[in-house]
Amino acid sequence: MPFRRSTIRRFQPLLLAIFAVLACYALALVPREVHPLDLTFNSMLDHLLRGRFDVDPAIVGREGFTVGGKVMAYWGILPALLRLPFTLFPGWRTLDFTIGACLVALIGMAATKLWTLRLIRAELPGLPTWLDKAMTVVLLLSGAQVCFLRLSLYQEVCFWAALWGALFVAAAIHAQLRGLGRGALLVMALAAGLAMLTRVSLGIGLVAAFGGVLLVESLRHRSALRGWLATAMAPLLLLALLGGLTALVNLGRWGNPFTFADYHHYNYNAWYPDRLVRMAEQGLFNLQRIPFGLVYYFAPLWVLRGADGQLLLDATRSKWIDAAELPPSSFLLTDPLLLVLGGLAIAGWIRRGSADRARNIAIALGLAIPAGLMLCAVSMNFRYRLDFYPLFEFLAFSGLILAARGGRAPGPRWTAVLATLSVLASLIVGAAYLVGRLGPGQLLIGDGVGAYYLQAFGLR
């Protein structure tokens, strides 16, 4: 009997995880109205199983790309492949797994971050109790875990990518605490490769961070380079394999292994012809959009009106941006504790050197790439905020490690204030995202942003 109890206890987390996954996907069996777009990954999988890279045009609709008489979707194939076990269900092609997939990815993301915090707590008993508790609250009730609960196909892609980002960060923090070994490198390579197959903007950042780690460690181990390369070979091969699969998909869709989406073929262009002109003149990414991007993500003044009755920065937005999506939000309000801890981590790396400083900086620089891309992208959608979180959380966890080792840390009172602000702001913003509409926000707030949300919440 003791053996049985210990065995059950040992596998309890795995059993709970399996139960949670099955419960989430069981939502597909609940009768409800299904939007055709939410069946896109079913169609993608159906076509992949027949050796095709297109999707049903009646399902993907305006979000498709018409190339050579066939309609493609630009999202990565991994969310479709994750539906493979459910092909055993009769009629699986018409079952909507989107909500279940979103919940599985969201739960996995939160669990991975809590595991990372638990690792820091176990390895560093000097972690201040108030910081430990505040981070637990923040990771459960704010930020990436709360602001984006408008479950849809759009959100599913971002949630899966955020999960791979959280997994990469967990491996990077593990390396800080226990040293960089083959296991951590394998997890980093796996996360980077899966992200490339899901959402390329985040995938590029993870690949760059992984490449930075390899470069720094190769220089550090140059006197014993052969041994280091032997350690890194399996992770490199794994990433190369997943990268090759990504290139194969790109080749099948666009005729070029390095093209992830060709917006010249975007069906939505027929409804927004100005986007083709803007793309031709300025490109999909342009550094001159960064000032407006900083406003959008950190100080959303663009939803307010000036004395002339026009939206602030409207001329800048209309010149550079296809769409700036509601709700207005700021990382300064939804994630202040992460930002403060991240700032302390950077300050700590500058003030005092360590054996891992170069590697940590290389990881942070790689993780900053997705955030940089979103700051200069032609469209600024609310869900794109998820691309910032791997950077914010890596820096915040690093700040916790430095605090536990005697570095600077916010006091109990300020920590409580920052955590409370994060939770309250995230709940408000998340609710606004749920009740609002997707698409260009400037088209929705003609009577003012306040009037729009009073109506959206049914208060007017």
Side-chain angles (χ1 to χ4, degrees):
M1 183 66 70
F3 173 78
R4 289 181 180 177
R5 287 179 179 174
S6 63
T7 302
I8 293 175
R9 191 179 301 114
R10 179 180 178 183
F11 288 99
Q12 188 177 35
L14 177 61
L15 294 174
L16 289 174
I18 293 173
F19 175 79
V21 169
L22 293 177
C24 290
Y25 277 111
L27 292 171
L29 303 177
V30 177
R32 65 178 184 276
E33 184 178 355
V34 177
H35 192 285
L37 184 64
D38 288 332
L39 299 177
T40 298
F41 287 124
N42 297 35
S43 176
M44 188 183 295
L45 176 60
D46 187 27
H47 287 210
L48 286 171
L49 292 175
R50 289 182 276 158
R52 295 168 51 182
F53 294 98
D54 61 328
V55 294
D56 186 339
I59 288 177
V60 73
R62 299 180 184 182
E63 289 291 357
F65 294 67
T66 303
V67 182
K70 296 182 178 180
V71 175
M72 309 292 173
Y74 73 101
W75 297 293
I77 66 168
L78 189 59
L81 295 179
L82 291 173
R83 285 162 165 73
L84 192 58
F86 301 99
T87 57
L88 299 175
F89 284 82
W92 66 272
R93 293 173 181 82
T94 59
L95 292 177
D96 181 11
F97 299 104
T98 305
I99 294 178
C102 285
L103 292 175
V104 170
L106 181 63
I107 292 169
M109 181 174 68
T112 302
K113 296 172 185 180
L114 290 174
W115 180 89
T116 307
L117 179 59
R118 180 183 178 186
L119 177 66
I120 296 173
R121 183 190 308 131
E123 291 292 317
L124 300 172
L127 178 66
T129 303
W130 67 86
L131 273 180
D132 184 6
K133 291 182 178 179
M135 276 295 288
T136 301
V137 170
V138 164
L139 293 178
L140 283 173
L141 300 176
S142 72
Q145 291 66 239
V146 169
C147 289
F148 306 93
L149 297 181
R150 186 182 182 129
L151 306 183
S152 67
L153 177 136
Y154 300 109
Q155 207 62 59
E156 179 186 348
V157 176
C158 293
F159 275 148
W160 283 122
L163 172 57
W164 313 138
L167 190 64
F168 188 99
V169 169
I173 296 300
H174 185 281
Q176 278 195 50
L177 295 170
R178 296 183 178 177
L180 182 66
R182 181 175 294 163
L185 286 171
L186 280 169
V187 173
M188 288 182 189
L190 177 64
L194 294 178
M196 290 294 289
L197 284 167
T198 306
R199 178 169 165 78
V200 63
S201 58
L202 188 60
I204 289 173
L206 300 190
V207 170
F210 180 76
V213 169
L214 293 183
L215 176 61
V216 168
E217 294 300 318
S218 295
L219 293 174
R220 178 185 295 179
H221 294 89
R222 56 184 176 271
S223 60
L225 190 58
R226 181 175 297 180
W228 159 245
L229 290 178
T231 300
M233 187 56 63
L236 269 172
L237 290 175
L238 175 60
L239 182 57
L241 176 63
L242 295 173
L245 179 57
T246 303
L248 178 64
V249 173
N250 291 343
L251 184 65
R253 287 176 172 177
W254 319 105
N256 187 324
F258 302 107
T259 298
F260 289 85
D262 188 343
Y263 278 85
H264 294 93
H265 302 286
Y266 194 24
N267 291 347
Y268 245 123
N269 291 336
W271 283 265
Y272 298 100
D274 60 304
R275 295 185 176 185
L276 276 172
V277 177
R278 192 177 290 111
M279 180 176 59
E281 293 178 349
Q282 305 164 5
L284 293 175
F285 300 94
N286 193 307
L287 294 177
Q288 296 187 68
R289 297 191 183 108
I290 289 179
F292 186 88
L294 290 171
V295 169
Y296 179 80
Y297 288 106
F298 291 91
L301 302 175
W302 67 277
V303 300
L304 303 179
R305 294 190 177 277
D308 59 358
Q310 298 297 312
L311 291 174
L312 296 179
L313 305 176
D314 192 56
T316 301
R317 181 207 51 75
S318 61
K319 177 181 179 181
W320 292 100
I321 306 297
D322 282 350
E325 192 175 67
L326 296 172
S329 182
S330 170
F331 288 121
L332 299 175
L333 296 176
T334 58
D335 303 278
L337 183 59
L338 296 183
L339 296 179
V340 168
L341 289 172
L344 292 176
I346 294 172
W349 293 339
I350 293 173
R351 283 199 313 270
R352 54 181 180 177
S354 69
D356 296 335
R357 181 174 66 172
R359 185 176 72 222
N360 292 339
I361 292 174
I363 291 173
L365 289 175
L367 297 180
I369 291 175
L373 289 173
M374 294 305 100
L375 287 172
C376 62
V378 71
S379 289
M380 296 189 180
N381 295 334
F382 182 76
R383 63 187 179 275
Y384 294 172
R385 294 173 185 271
L386 280 166
D387 279 9
F388 288 74
Y389 280 96
L391 173 65
F392 291 168
E393 288 162 356
F394 173 71
L395 292 175
F397 284 132
S398 299
L400 285 181
I401 291 173
L402 291 178
R405 290 172 174 169
R408 296 178 61 185
R413 183 175 298 177
W414 276 111
T415 299
V417 169
L418 295 173
T420 301
L421 176 60
S422 181
V423 171
L424 292 178
S426 296
L427 290 173
I428 293 171
V429 169
Y433 189 40
L434 278 172
V435 302
R437 292 174 57 190
L438 302 181
Q442 69 275 7
L443 303 180
L444 303 174
I445 52 177
D447 295 328
V449 67
Y452 172 74
Y453 278 108
L454 283 175
Q455 184 175 4
F457 279 105
L459 301 176
R460 179 179 174 181

